[in-house]
Amino acid sequence: MTVFLTIVVIALFGITLWQMSKILKLSQLKDADNSQVANDKDNNLQGKLMLGFVIFLYLLTIYCFVQYNSYFLPESASEHGVDYDRLMLISMVLIMIVQILTQGLLHFFAYKYRGKKENRALYFADNDKLEFIWTIIPVIVLAGLIIYGLFTWTDIMNIDEKEGDPLIIELYAYQFDWRARYSGEDNVLGKANVRYIEGINTLGVDVSDSYGKDDKITTELHLPVNRKVIFKMRSQDVLHSAYMPFFRAQMNVVPGMITEFAYTPTLTSEEMRSSDFMVEKVATINKIRKEKSKKLVAAGDEALEEYSFDYYLLCNKICGTSHYNMQMKIIVESEEDYEAWIKEQQTFGDQLSAQASN
Ligand SMILES: [Cu+2]
């Protein structure tokens, strides 16, 4: 690989020298030899190519929108996600309009004013009115966008533990899995530090802190619908990122500190599963799986399982070899179902005494 790269670098360097010598030669040419200078025919071709390129770009954009729109996410399953999506949509629409106009004009002018023998360039020193217009419009639009973005950001990042009755859950990341720690009856998480990790205490909960006794550590994340959840995130080893795309949530999980994010889930797993968007999507996925299964069975392998939708918490920082598989199922359910589930989970205190009696 190194040898190959060295050869490429030497070759590119050679081409650069050759091109530079060519430019030098061209600059010394007298009128006598015009064979290397662009003539009207060359300029015509280049102008048309410029126009062709921007048309190709537009067609490619339209094609991508049509072909890949099934990769868009469905409506947000969290309260703040609606504001987030609106901000995203407004920003993208503005960017698209500006991009289509400016790129179109740029390439069209390159075509319209392509070189012609008899044409002479016209030189404007300056035009105050024109400069004022093309400065003030972007200033107003961008300032509006930035202020709107700041307001949305402040709303989304408002993690007030006293507001409402938020559920407090720790998300614990390690290579290569997640754990959730529920704060129990008192809704206060016990202190924890990776230095306390020992035996069954895999999250390093401080055994001397009474708040930690009723904490519940689970391998699935159950959330009651329509109740605000505050996530406190901790990493055991390297940088991870808690990514929950359906809830429009992502936060880095950084070793040595606690990061936070809060949201209110608004659609249960069941509601999302039975939405038109998901039913259609799952049908497509299962059609592809069926085709694949046929081939697998023919080759003597097992068929693929039928796919059914679930929310997942994913890791969105490449944190090592098994990063791709670092995920935890999220189940959004009714308050009653959630209460029934959490009741069944063992407390950290019980886990400790069970170990002691063993
Ligand atoms: Cu990770």
Side-chain angles (χ1 to χ4, degrees):
M1 193 66 190
T2 321
V3 177
F4 172 72
L5 284 175
T6 315
I7 292 169
V8 169
V9 168
I10 292 171
L12 284 173
F13 189 69
I15 292 171
T16 314
L17 281 183
W18 175 56
Q19 288 287 342
M20 276 164 72
S21 74
K22 213 169 138 187
I23 292 169
L24 213 68
K25 233 191 268 167
L26 277 175
S27 68
Q28 289 162 348
L29 274 184
K30 297 280 165 306
D31 288 341
D33 181 15
N34 274 341
S35 66
Q36 297 273 344
V37 180
N39 54 34
D40 277 359
K41 206 177 135 218
D42 299 328
N43 288 329
N44 251 326
L45 179 69
Q46 296 297 325
K48 281 173 188 158
L49 280 176
M50 283 294 244
L51 203 59
F53 181 68
V54 77
I55 292 169
F56 165 73
L57 264 190
Y58 288 171
L59 290 178
L60 188 68
T61 311
I62 294 167
Y63 171 78
C64 288
F65 266 109
V66 173
Q67 185 67 20
Y68 298 111
N69 67 33
S70 63
Y71 289 92
F72 287 152
L73 283 166
E75 60 168 322
S76 170
S78 67
E79 217 171 83
H80 77 273
V82 178
D83 302 331
Y84 176 104
D85 284 351
R86 193 181 306 122
L87 176 65
M88 186 75 176
L89 183 70
I90 289 174
S91 305
M92 289 317 283
V93 167
L94 270 173
I95 290 168
M96 284 297 285
I97 291 171
V98 173
Q99 128 88 18
I100 288 168
L101 279 179
T102 53
Q103 291 301 314
L105 284 176
L106 180 72
H107 288 79
F108 174 70
F109 284 150
Y111 165 75
K112 183 162 193 235
Y113 299 108
R114 63 193 183 279
K116 274 186 202 126
K117 260 272 120 49
E118 66 275 16
N119 274 4
R120 284 288 161 267
L122 206 60
Y123 181 72
F124 283 111
D126 58 82
N127 185 331
D128 287 346
K129 199 170 150 196
L130 201 60
E131 280 179 33
F132 178 77
I133 292 170
W134 76 41
T135 308
I136 203 74
I137 293 175
V139 165
I140 292 170
V141 173
L142 284 177
L145 209 53
I146 290 167
I147 291 168
Y148 175 39
L150 278 175
F151 273 108
T152 310
W153 170 263
T154 326
D155 274 350
I156 291 174
M157 295 309 290
N158 169 28
I159 303 165
D160 191 352
E161 288 184 25
K162 297 195 181 64
E163 198 188 282
D165 177 28
L167 187 65
I168 294 179
I169 303 173
E170 176 178 83
L171 291 180
Y172 184 79
Y174 64 94
Q175 288 170 320
F176 297 95
D177 211 347
W178 297 94
R179 288 289 179 270
R181 178 157 65 109
Y182 289 78
S183 44
E185 294 282 301
D186 54 17
N187 207 22
V188 178
L189 285 163
K191 286 199 196 80
N193 192 305
V194 285
R195 290 191 183 82
Y196 301 140
I197 292 174
E198 202 191 355
I200 60 155
N201 186 7
T202 48
L203 266 58
V205 179
D206 185 351
V207 287
S208 66
D209 184 2
S210 62
Y211 284 121
K213 291 274 184 294
D214 66 344
D215 289 0
K216 292 176 171 181
I217 297 159
T218 64
T219 53
E220 267 184 359
L221 184 62
H222 284 241
L223 304 174
V225 71
N226 293 327
R227 181 166 170 196
K228 182 168 154 186
V229 189
I230 297 181
F231 295 105
K232 298 189 179 266
M233 305 170 195
R234 236 165 22 100
S235 164
Q236 185 182 83
D237 33 50
V238 298
L239 188 62
H240 300 276
S241 186
Y243 181 42
M244 298 171 260
F246 287 87
F247 306 97
R248 310 294 190 265
Q250 172 164 300
M251 182 53 71
N252 278 352
V253 189
V254 189
M257 68 184 285
I258 294 169
T259 50
E260 290 182 300
F261 195 81
Y263 66 74
T264 309
T266 51
L267 290 173
T268 64
S269 297
E270 196 44 59
E271 280 167 342
M272 183 56 90
R273 210 172 285 136
S274 53
S275 68
D276 291 347
F277 180 95
M278 260 318 147
V279 169
E280 201 179 309
K281 190 155 224 167
V282 168
T284 316
I285 293 171
N286 277 327
K287 216 170 111 190
I288 297 168
R289 287 197 156 202
K290 229 176 200 167
E291 290 297 312
K292 225 173 176 180
S293 289
K294 267 188 210 158
K295 280 183 198 151
L296 284 173
V297 173
D301 273 322
E302 266 181 67
L304 294 169
E305 269 177 57
E306 184 114 325
Y307 170 77
S308 135
F309 170 79
D310 263 304
Y311 294 125
Y312 273 94
L313 161 66
L314 305 165
C315 180
N316 207 15
K317 280 272 181 304
I318 299 176
C319 57
T321 45
S322 292
H323 154 75
Y324 72 94
N325 202 26
M326 184 169 163
Q327 51 183 288
M328 178 162 65
K329 195 192 266 190
I330 305 174
I331 293 139
V332 181
E333 56 201 356
S334 67
E335 185 82 39
E336 301 86 64
D337 287 352
Y338 164 75
E339 290 299 341
W341 172 82
I342 194 77
K343 213 174 258 167
E344 278 173 22
Q345 308 304 311
Q346 209 180 16
T347 63
F348 179 64
D350 285 347
Q351 275 182 343
L352 281 184
S353 33
Q355 190 201 29
S357 61
N358 273 343

